[in-house]
Amino acid sequence: MKNKEIKKIYMISRVVLTLLTFIIFNIMIINEDSSWLILPFIFSLVVFFVSFPSAFISKVLIKIGDRFDKRILKTLYYVIILPALIIFLFAGICCIIGFLYERYPSPDGFASILGQGLVFLFLVVVCFVCIIIPYIQTLLVLFLRRFVKEQ
């Protein structure tokens, strides 16, 4: 494929990822207080801006996947190997964040402890989004590659 089509495919994948994130986070907070309504916008912006550097990772993942000749090897790579690597990477990052939060002194008040827990949760979700975006973008690009034609 030409460079122009690849840029077009990655721009479409960024828009799709941003919209999916917005929809998913709106569904997640449907029964929450109105103060949570800002989260879909925040995470949609995070996903949109993370999708630019993740395009490089996605291109590397696709290049590795294109090296396999047989369809079964490609399927194993995209369905088993990459998700397993994502799980191990996410577990490692969660352990690191948890280790850092154990070293941080716990406050006395309930509101302070709750705030600290929400910051921890926010960091974990942002790390998860940053890890999963290149994989989902890779799958979207592989899907869109079949439909975007040369002009």
Side-chain angles (χ1 to χ4, degrees):
M1 295 188 96
K2 293 182 182 176
N3 197 17
K4 187 175 183 180
E5 286 110 21
I6 292 172
K7 286 183 180 181
K8 182 178 178 182
I9 289 172
Y10 275 100
M11 187 51 74
I12 293 170
S13 72
R14 286 182 189 110
V15 171
V16 169
L17 284 171
T18 304
L19 289 175
L20 281 174
T21 304
F22 185 76
I23 291 169
I24 289 170
F25 273 92
N26 269 326
I27 291 171
M28 285 173 48
I29 65 163
I30 200 163
N31 292 326
E32 297 298 327
D33 188 59
S34 63
S35 63
W36 288 77
L37 292 177
I38 192 73
L39 279 182
F41 296 107
I42 291 172
F43 281 106
S44 296
L45 284 174
V46 167
V47 166
F48 184 73
F49 289 118
V50 166
S51 68
F52 284 97
S54 76
F56 174 75
I57 298 169
S58 174
K59 288 176 185 177
V60 170
L61 294 175
I62 289 174
K63 191 181 292 185
I64 292 170
D66 286 343
R67 288 184 191 164
F68 298 119
D69 295 331
K70 296 184 179 181
R71 203 170 201 54
I72 188 76
L73 291 176
K74 285 185 181 185
T75 305
L76 286 173
Y77 173 70
Y78 288 115
V79 175
I80 295 174
I81 295 172
L82 286 180
L85 288 174
I86 289 170
I87 290 169
F88 287 127
L89 182 63
F90 181 66
I93 289 176
C94 283
C95 288
I96 291 170
I97 292 173
F99 178 75
L100 293 175
Y101 263 86
E102 284 179 7
R103 298 289 179 219
Y104 191 74
S106 296
D108 291 335
F110 178 72
S112 301
I113 292 173
L114 185 62
Q116 185 177 357
L118 287 175
V119 169
F120 173 73
L121 180 65
F122 181 77
L123 287 175
V124 168
V125 171
V126 167
C127 287
F128 180 72
V129 166
C130 291
I131 291 171
I132 198 77
I133 291 300
Y135 177 67
I136 295 173
Q137 191 171 22
T138 301
L139 295 179
L140 275 171
V141 168
L142 289 172
F143 179 74
L144 290 171
R145 227 171 34 172
R146 296 181 178 264
F147 297 109
V148 174
K149 304 292 182 194
E150 295 182 25
Q151 295 179 358

